[in-house]
Amino acid sequence: WCASRRGPDPTLAFGDLLAPSGGTASPTYTASSSSSSNSVMTAQAVLVIPANTLPAPTTTTVPTPTATPVMVIPTPTPTPILPTPTAIGTPASTISFVNAGSLFDSSSAVAAVTVGVPSGVMSGDVLLTQIVIYDGTGSNVPSPPSGWNAIRHDTISSGNLITSWLYFRIAGASEPPSYSWTIAKQYAAGLMGDWRGGSASPIDQSSGSTAGGNPAVDAAPSLTPTHNGELQVYFYGSQNFSAPTITE
């Protein structure tokens, strides 16, 4: 697991694992969030496609031709030549975690969530950001900076409130020290991670779920990768009046 950060109220954690081969459902990984009272929690997962991807192995069947009868002298039925299926291996390229940026958190409501860019970022890296807001409806929609793309959001209202938003960007040749998402003024937090070796169109699929309780126990639903060599990145977020502890 790559990062786990606590602020005054929310806690964010993320990690990654190599996904199964293409066409195979991924396992689920449960995390728990505990505090002095009931917490709310989001669990999300994203499949990241590697560069130079190969599709999952497939077998092509050649249909058997139908023999055409000839008057008086029958024509022998030709024997079809079927190609031997060729297994397609896992791509040589792999995706690796580079670094996490600095946690943004505030003890007061904010109108902008300014998330630090990880050190060591290079052009072509896949940047993933999680923004969590004290919002149980998903109606406080962050306005992302230019070049950032929304992946999904998941929300829960169960005594406490939280909505977790996920975004991605392909890093350019020169990245600023931080990026800001504007929101309707509210309590919020954010964290960014950097992965190397991903495709220029890196997101295959995503999933998410929510839970509440003490502890709150949650796992992102299983995903089935389209390609071999994908990386599954997991994001957990939890909120309480004091920062919960997430155990991955």
Side-chain angles (χ1 to χ4, degrees):
W1 295 97
C2 304
S4 182
R5 308 288 177 90
R6 299 178 68 187
D9 296 310
T11 302
L12 305 181
F14 66 78
D16 60 45
L17 288 169
L18 180 66
S21 58
T24 303
S26 68
T28 58
Y29 290 92
T30 302
S32 62
S33 170
S34 60
S35 187
S36 57
S37 63
N38 285 355
S39 300
V40 288
M41 185 176 184
T42 59
Q44 299 163 299
V46 177
L47 284 173
V48 181
I49 302 170
N52 305 316
T53 55
L54 294 174
T58 58
T59 301
T60 302
T61 301
V62 178
T64 302
T66 303
T68 302
V70 179
M71 292 182 65
V72 183
I73 302 175
T75 301
T77 302
T79 302
I81 300 174
L82 301 178
T84 301
T86 300
I88 300 176
T90 301
S93 64
T94 57
I95 306 171
S96 60
F97 175 68
V98 178
N99 209 348
S102 57
L103 172 73
F104 173 88
D105 195 19
S106 174
S107 58
S108 59
V110 296
V113 184
T114 302
V115 185
V117 172
S119 61
V121 63
M122 295 176 61
S123 178
D125 286 0
V126 179
L127 300 177
L128 298 174
T129 294
Q130 181 182 20
I131 305 290
V132 297
I133 304 174
Y134 185 69
D135 167 31
T137 65
S139 58
N140 193 344
V141 182
S143 179
S146 176
W148 285 87
N149 305 276
I151 301 173
R152 67 175 299 114
H153 73 279
D154 294 276
T155 184
I156 181 173
S157 176
S158 179
N160 286 293
L161 316 172
I162 191 173
T163 299
S164 175
W165 300 80
L166 299 181
Y167 299 86
F168 81 92
R169 167 182 169 81
I170 302 300
S174 178
E175 290 292 320
S178 63
Y179 283 97
S180 290
W181 281 252
T182 58
I183 61 172
K185 196 169 185 179
Q186 188 51 270
Y187 296 97
L191 186 64
M192 186 185 304
D194 177 16
W195 284 264
R196 187 161 297 153
S199 167
S201 299
I203 307 303
D204 182 3
Q205 305 165 46
S206 67
S207 67
S209 63
T210 62
N214 188 25
V217 180
D218 202 6
S222 174
L223 294 169
T224 301
T226 305
H227 310 83
N228 291 323
E230 294 191 13
L231 188 74
Q232 187 152 326
V233 185
Y234 299 83
F235 295 86
Y236 302 97
S238 187
Q239 193 275 327
N240 198 291
F241 68 89
S242 63
T245 299
I246 293 179
T247 303
E248 298 93 339

